Amino acid sequence: MAILLVRHGETPSNAARVVQVPNAPLSERGRAQAALLAARLSKLDVAQIVASDYARALDTAEQVRAATNAPLEIWPELRERNFGERRGRNAVAAADHADD
């Protein structure tokens, strides 16, 4: 049995190097990346898909589910860390002020 770990497709936030907020959606490029992933995984015997409840993860997972017919479970525990006040800020600037 193989376990594949996949990150969601690109969002406008991560393309701009901004620490993402929970509701950041996939960008057009991210939707295309998810479609390519789904096409590739459709050739495998995918038994289960799990994803966080964030929109970007669900959108990616849903494309894979549609291509593989594998069941999809939502696990809020898979959400990324909460970066608090750093959310929505440039990742480099947020790191520069990490000790403030």
Side-chain angles (χ1 to χ4, degrees), residues 44-57:
L44 302 178
D45 185 22
V46 176
Q48 180 72 49
I49 303 164
V50 294
S52 82
D53 57 348
Y54 285 171
R56 57 191 174 267

Side-chain angles (χ1 to χ4, degrees), residues 58-81:
L58 286 175
D59 289 348
T60 301
E62 181 54 38
Q63 287 200 46
V64 174
R65 189 212 54 77
T68 64
N69 292 315
L72 169 60
E73 284 189 43
I74 308 308
W75 292 6
E77 302 93 322
L78 293 176
R79 292 177 184 165
E80 66 189 25
R81 288 178 37 196

Side-chain angles (χ1 to χ4, degrees), residues 2-55:
I3 297 174
L4 303 175
L5 300 177
V6 177
R7 186 168 188 247
H8 58 77
E10 179 189 86
T11 69
S13 297
N14 61 28
R17 299 190 45 85
V18 169
V19 178
Q20 297 189 99
V21 296
N23 61 347
L26 292 178
S27 65
E28 190 65 36
R29 182 177 181 207
R31 286 188 291 279
Q33 290 169 335
L36 287 171
L37 172 69
R40 188 169 183 182
L41 293 181
S42 72
K43 298 175 178 116
L44 302 178
D45 185 22
V46 176
Q48 180 72 49
I49 303 164
V50 294
S52 82
D53 57 348
Y54 285 171

